[in-house]
Amino acid sequence: MEKTTDAAARHEGSRSLGRRAFLKGAALTAGLAAVTGVGCSPSQPQPTDDAPKKPEADAQPAKPVKQAPPEEVYQGICRGNCGGGCIMNVHVREGKIVKTSAIHQEDDLDTRICQRGLTHPQRVYAPERLQYPLRRVEGTARGAGEWERISWDEAITYITDKWKGYIEEVGPQSIGVFWGAGTYSYNYMVWNRLVNLMGLTHIEAGYDMAALNQGWRMYGMSQYLIGNHGNDVVDSKYIFTWAHDATIAGQCRWAYYQEAMKRGAKLIVIDPVYTGAAQKADLWVPIKPATDGALALGMMHVIFEEGLTDDAAMARATSAPYLVKADDNKILRMSDLGVEPTEGPINPMTGQPTLVDPMVFMAADGTTGTPEEIADPVIHGTFEVNGISVTTALDLLVERASEWTPERTEEVTEVPADTVRELARMFAEGPTNLNVGFGNDHWSNGRSITMCQLTLPLITDQFGKKGAGVGGTQGASTSGWAEANLGGLLFPPGAVGGLQFPINYLPEIMETGMYGEMPFPVKCVVNVASNLLGCAPDRNALTAALDKVELVVNVDQVMNDMSRYSDVVLPVPHWFEFETISSCPGKWADLNEAAIPAQFECKEDVEIAALLGQAMGIEQMNITPEDFYRTLLDTDALRARGITLETLREKKRIKAFDDQWLYGSPEAPFVTATGRAEFFLEDVAPQFPLMGYPVDAKLNSLPHYEEPLEAYDGNPLREKYPLTIWSHRDKFKVHSTFAVNPILNEIEPEPTVELNPADAKERNIADGDMVCVFNDRGEVTMKAYLDASMRPGCVWTEHVWLQEQYASGHLMEITSHATRDVWIGNQPFDTLVQIEKL
């Protein structure tokens, strides 16, 4: 073992890169390019016919042209969590990756590579790459950067010896595993397998999950999340891009929207900020932040008032005909009419039979029966059925929306009443693509906003046909192959499952030692595929919680914020250094080839998890990466599509889904328990009930408006912290992936905070000043950038940089881990701050 520092851990003999070093490195690279003839250095001027020529005697013999070394090309997949999953050529010369390039597709709109994808060679050979396992030097503080190099055997033994002690002392639930989306392929799912086999705790990330879970609860999880294929938007007449800058956050799909606009589609952008998408829009609606749910309710009011609904579609495919009991807000079922429930299929999660208790529908003549018996149910009315007062779910929705007149909507959202009416009419006319992003989900009222937004297609028949449905981040990526063997992969024989809690709850659990009423000491946190301290909110509270954890292990490619604050760091390869399989986005099964062998002492996730599991005596973790992928692909349905490991290795890209997929059509019904999309939800309960937080089930059963927890108008905290800050995706990073990249950092060298000139003048801030952004939770120093298009009272910054790239502090220090408890998510936008010039 040898003692080393952070810098030596990243690259022996190299120093930590700061902003100046980035620029120096870029200049050096340019200089080398000029010397060696590589790159874009200008060519030497050539003599013209009129220019004097050297005498022949002075002419030098021509030098032989050096032949370029032979080149091999492999298929790689860019797997950052931008939703792109772009396949690309990876060019290798003399064993080195030298460049990447786009792979031409049948559809030109699918042929793409972005600026991040083009810079992968710099990531492959980045000085911050982790090269071998590291352990924090005993007696030094976490984050101090004092490391000792250890072997893989030492690392696995050190971790699992501690695990055995924790399990003997308090049980396997004391070991928590957190994984994010830093590698968007199937290989990281091996950690889920390990958790289920050992009975460990899954600490959920919460990133974007309030909106996703809400969408799945309403629409079910289809092959493209809850919508059609991403390219379906080319057949839309209206594209409602809502809280989503599709030119950046949806960059991989922006070509589809451009094509749709060429064909005559109208782009409507609803966003508080004049984004890149807003600049391209036919109509930009600068809504007041976090009031989007009120706008959707106002649009519903107009749709109902003007008769713009499609009653036949609602009766066929939505919760409109549900009969809801007045006394308990539950759906009328056959058991309420004296018909006993029957046993259904075994629930594989519980091992117990399900209960079949069909709901009751009513025909126009007043007869009642099961949905199978009532082909054309009523969707309006209040009735007495066997003495039970019931109202259709649709009429309850109409009542809920009735108070949201365009005028009241304008008061709350600052969207003019006439614009509210115009938006409603366009949406109902269709075909309309609801291109939603996760901007709303990053507010603490994001779940309710999502519910309001996703109800609009259901009442206007904007689903199940070309050009209509939910797109953007909710609908344009796959949720994984529905036909893959995920059950066999993640729940093999012997799996016992485990507890779950979200990262938001870790500070409270570590402070109290309790998970609800249950003693719950967390002894170890294993972090995988996520720069947790760089991306999770309330960084100071999270750091304080981790300080109480005995063992923190990080599995990553680079020495980032989370790596530095760990006790053991395990290195994984770059994406192009090992073979894996991906299914995002679209209809393809794609193979990522190993263009070069894994460098240094890196091991991929399947190997690492297998080593840990085997050291713990878990027989089912005695798997190789090849075993893992063969299990994943082991279904008759995939074989019928010609998808096996051998065919993927041969063809590299195979179609996993049909070209035409119209979610919500009779041919592709909603994948919910009822086969219907539901704007009425029965028995809404907390996602994590052990914490005991109350939920108003009746309020949450239908779309409703609620204010954010912190950044609302009447909050007294605004006297101290009058500005609302949120972050935006940026063209040069995916979360903190690509944050350290010489070429991209030359273009965007440092964090900035954008504010309106009026807000800047009030604080005596000039363009380019260094400023401190702060609140009671923490602070961060950034460079000010004045932008007249920024909404007064609001500021924004890039999401997200590494700590070393901030002059001081970190963006995540000022954000809050507070959340509402139906679907837990991370809501960093719901943040009040003050800004001072330094």
Side-chain angles (χ1 to χ4, degrees):
M1 296 183 293
E2 61 184 82
K3 182 176 176 181
T4 185
T5 63
D6 260 358
R10 293 196 301 276
H11 194 278
E12 295 174 84
S14 67
R15 300 177 66 86
S16 176
L17 284 178
R19 288 194 297 273
R20 292 186 181 86
F22 291 145
L23 297 176
K24 277 186 182 177
L28 178 60
T29 302
L32 287 174
V35 171
T36 60
V38 178
C40 299
S41 56
S43 59
Q44 296 297 317
Q46 299 299 310
T48 65
D49 289 341
D50 296 331
K53 299 180 181 179
K54 291 184 178 181
E56 290 296 328
D58 294 339
Q60 298 295 317
K63 294 182 179 179
V65 177
K66 184 177 180 180
Q67 296 296 317
E71 185 173 278
E72 299 172 330
V73 180
Y74 299 86
Q75 178 168 290
I77 307 172
C78 191
R79 301 199 301 278
N81 187 22
C82 66
C86 302
I87 61 169
M88 60 187 63
N89 291 312
V90 181
H91 301 256
V92 176
R93 297 178 197 154
E94 298 180 325
K96 300 290 186 182
I97 294 175
V98 295
K99 69 174 182 177
T100 55
S101 63
I103 297 178
H104 184 73
Q105 301 299 308
E106 294 177 4
D107 185 346
D108 287 339
L109 297 178
D110 291 330
T111 302
R112 57 176 178 257
I113 187 170
C114 80
Q115 61 284 350
R116 295 175 296 234
L118 289 169
T119 64
H120 271 296
Q122 289 198 325
R123 294 191 70 228
V124 173
Y125 302 109
E128 69 271 13
R129 280 285 301 270
L130 292 166
Q131 299 185 7
Y132 35 73
L134 299 169
R135 182 169 58 198
R136 176 170 58 87
V137 173
E138 187 174 355
T140 64
R142 282 185 185 148
E146 295 293 326
W147 301 99
E148 58 181 357
R149 177 178 180 175
I150 58 177
S151 68
W152 273 102
D153 286 343
E154 288 176 295
I156 297 299
T157 300
Y158 181 79
I159 294 168
T160 55
D161 281 353
K162 287 187 175 292
W163 282 8
K164 292 169 185 176
Y166 301 150
I167 291 171
E168 183 177 354
E169 180 184 355
V170 290
Q173 72 276 8
S174 64
I175 302 166
V177 183
F178 176 100
W179 56 83
T183 176
Y184 222 79
S185 65
Y186 280 106
N187 66 296
Y188 79 95
M189 289 185 175
V190 70
W191 296 99
N192 199 328
R193 180 184 178 100
L194 181 66
V195 165
N196 292 331
L197 283 165
M198 289 186 62
L200 310 181
T201 295
H202 175 203
I203 305 176
E204 293 208 348
Y207 307 139
D208 309 325
M209 291 309 299
L212 286 170
N213 279 312
Q214 182 65 34
W216 294 330
R217 175 73 194 269
M218 294 175 68
Y219 282 63
M221 186 186 290
S222 179
Q223 60 190 36
Y224 303 119
L225 299 182
I226 62 173
N228 302 342
H229 186 278
N231 64 8
D232 182 66
V233 72
V234 300
D235 292 314
S236 300
K237 184 174 182 179
Y238 299 104
I239 306 169
F240 274 66
T241 297
W242 205 327
H244 179 48
D245 186 357
T247 66
I248 296 179
Q251 192 172 356
C252 52
R253 295 178 288 272
W254 180 242
Y256 300 144
Y257 298 100
Q258 290 178 301
E259 178 65 22
M261 288 185 281
K262 288 179 184 177
R263 299 184 184 188
K266 301 297 183 184
L267 178 65
I268 296 93
V269 173
I270 303 172
D271 201 297
V273 179
Y274 191 56
T275 63
Q279 294 169 34
K280 306 293 185 183
D282 296 278
L283 174 62
W284 172 46
V285 182
I287 190 171
K288 184 178 180 179
T291 64
D292 305 77
L295 177 58
L297 285 163
M299 292 168 62
M300 285 183 225
H301 178 100
V302 174
I303 289 166
F304 290 135
E305 184 178 58
E306 298 187 3
L308 304 178
T309 59
D310 189 306
D311 288 2
M314 285 192 288
R316 173 184 65 83
T318 79
S319 54
Y322 294 1
L323 301 177
V324 182
K325 295 183 287 182
D327 60 347
D328 60 7
N329 203 53
K330 294 182 182 294
I331 298 169
L332 185 71
R333 298 188 178 275
M334 294 302 293
S335 59
D336 294 309
L337 307 185
V339 179
E340 290 295 320
T342 58
E343 283 192 359
I346 298 294
N347 183 334
M349 300 298 293
T350 65
Q352 302 298 314
T354 55
L355 287 180
V356 179
D357 188 7
M359 64 180 66
V360 176
F361 281 6
M362 178 179 286
D365 62 4
T367 58
T368 58
T370 66
E372 291 73 22
E373 295 168 338
I374 307 297
D376 188 19
V378 297
I379 59 174
H380 290 288
T382 296
F383 313 98
E384 292 283 328
V385 180
N386 280 22
I388 303 171
S389 178
V390 295
T391 300
T392 63
L394 180 59
D395 274 6
L396 293 177
L397 177 63
V398 172
E399 181 183 1
R400 184 69 64 90
S402 63
E403 61 184 292
W404 286 96
T405 64
E407 289 71 27
R408 186 194 174 195
T409 302
E410 179 177 353
E411 291 175 5
V412 174
T413 66
E414 300 179 8
V415 176
D418 286 345
T419 302
V420 176
R421 294 185 179 94
E422 182 185 9
L423 292 171
R425 292 163 187 162
M426 286 190 293
F427 197 100
E429 179 185 350
T432 297
N433 180 282
L434 178 58
N435 175 32
V436 290
F438 291 136
N440 286 325
D441 182 58
H442 297 159
W443 294 88
S444 59
N445 59 344
R447 185 203 64 84
S448 62
I449 291 173
T450 300
M451 188 176 191
C452 294
Q453 290 173 320
L454 296 185
T455 297
L456 289 168
L458 302 183
I459 63 175
T460 55
D461 190 27
Q462 299 304 323
F463 59 85
K465 56 188 179 184
K466 287 185 177 182
V470 181
T473 50
Q474 282 270 24
S477 299
T478 63
S479 58
W481 311 322
E483 296 165 338
N485 184 25
L486 292 178
L489 189 72
L490 306 182
F491 293 93
V496 295
L499 290 173
Q500 295 179 324
F501 70 80
I503 192 65
N504 311 63
Y505 289 170
L506 184 63
E508 182 176 348
I509 288 173
M510 297 309 299
E511 179 68 27
T512 64
M514 303 288 288
Y515 185 6
E517 298 182 356
M518 175 176 58
F520 199 79
V522 178
K523 296 288 190 177
C524 174
V525 171
V526 180
N527 181 74
V528 178
S530 172
N531 182 15
L532 180 59
L533 283 177
C535 297
D538 213 342
R539 177 184 170 114
N540 287 335
L542 182 56
T543 301
L546 290 173
D547 284 340
K548 299 180 177 70
V549 175
E550 292 186 17
L551 177 64
V552 178
V553 178
N554 195 44
V555 182
D556 212 316
Q557 288 182 25
V558 297
M559 182 61 77
N560 55 27
D561 297 358
M562 192 62 194
S563 298
R564 291 189 180 91
Y565 210 74
S566 299
D567 302 303
V568 178
V569 179
L570 304 178
V572 295
H574 181 276
W575 301 331
F576 299 160
E577 295 175 355
F578 66 100
E579 181 184 71
T580 188
I581 298 170
S582 184
S583 68
C584 175
K587 50 182 174 273
W588 302 98
D590 290 321
L591 180 73
N592 182 97
E593 296 181 285
I596 60 174
Q599 296 184 87
F600 319 120
E601 296 179 14
C602 297
K603 295 183 183 295
E604 65 149 301
D605 291 88
V606 175
E607 296 177 278
I608 298 172
L611 288 172
L612 291 167
Q614 291 168 45
M616 295 299 294
I618 308 297
E619 183 180 350
Q620 293 283 13
M621 290 304 296
N622 186 21
I623 57 171
T624 65
E626 180 133 340
D627 298 331
F628 184 82
Y629 293 120
R630 289 194 184 282
T631 302
L632 172 72
L633 302 175
D634 186 18
T635 69
D636 291 336
L638 287 180
R639 280 187 286 272
R641 293 183 181 272
I643 300 176
T644 65
L645 188 57
E646 284 72 24
T647 57
L648 272 174
R649 284 171 172 168
E650 175 190 354
K651 299 180 180 179
K652 303 181 186 178
R653 166 164 266 212
I654 301 175
K655 192 173 291 185
F657 294 134
D658 298 332
D659 286 321
Q660 190 65 62
W661 178 263
L662 301 177
Y663 192 42
S665 66
E667 296 74 29
F670 293 110
V671 187
T672 62
T674 62
R676 292 170 172 268
E678 300 182 308
F679 55 75
F680 176 87
L681 302 177
E682 187 179 42
D683 295 331
V684 178
Q687 182 183 7
F688 299 97
L690 289 179
M691 292 301 282
Y693 295 128
V695 165
D696 187 332
K698 185 172 183 179
L699 174 68
N700 286 284
S701 64
L702 286 163
H704 62 284
Y705 175 68
E706 58 189 4
E707 292 185 318
L709 292 173
E710 180 169 304
Y712 61 91
D713 282 348
N715 189 347
L717 193 62
R718 280 194 178 273
E719 295 182 13
K720 187 177 181 182
Y721 302 118
L723 300 174
T724 302
I725 187 171
W726 65 92
S727 61
H728 61 87
R729 301 298 180 220
D730 103 36
K731 289 181 182 291
F732 307 110
K733 295 187 290 295
V734 182
H735 303 291
S736 65
T737 305
F738 300 94
V740 180
N741 185 299
I743 290 178
L744 301 180
N745 289 133
E746 190 169 357
I747 301 169
E748 185 181 67
E750 61 189 331
T752 65
V753 58
E754 298 179 39
L755 65 164
N756 186 278
D759 291 326
K761 183 177 180 181
E762 183 180 336
R763 293 161 178 80
N764 194 32
I765 295 170
D767 197 61
D769 283 345
M770 296 303 293
V771 297
C772 181
V773 185
F774 64 96
N775 56 24
D776 291 339
R777 289 181 289 269
E779 63 181 47
V780 58
T781 299
M782 295 182 280
K783 181 176 283 188
Y785 176 76
L786 275 54
D787 184 350
S789 72
M790 275 302 302
R791 184 184 183 91
C794 297
V795 298
W796 71 344
T797 181
E798 303 89 15
H799 176 91
V800 64
W801 300 78
L802 300 182
Q803 184 175 25
E804 67 200 60
Q805 295 171 298
Y806 290 103
S808 66
H810 194 283
L811 173 64
M812 290 296 112
E813 287 188 20
I814 60 179
T815 59
S816 170
H817 67 273
T819 180
R820 285 190 167 94
D821 300 294
V822 176
W823 298 117
I824 304 300
N826 292 328
Q827 282 93 35
F829 290 9
D830 193 0
T831 301
L832 294 178
V833 298
Q834 181 58 285
I835 298 181
E836 290 182 356
K837 178 179 178 178
L838 294 177

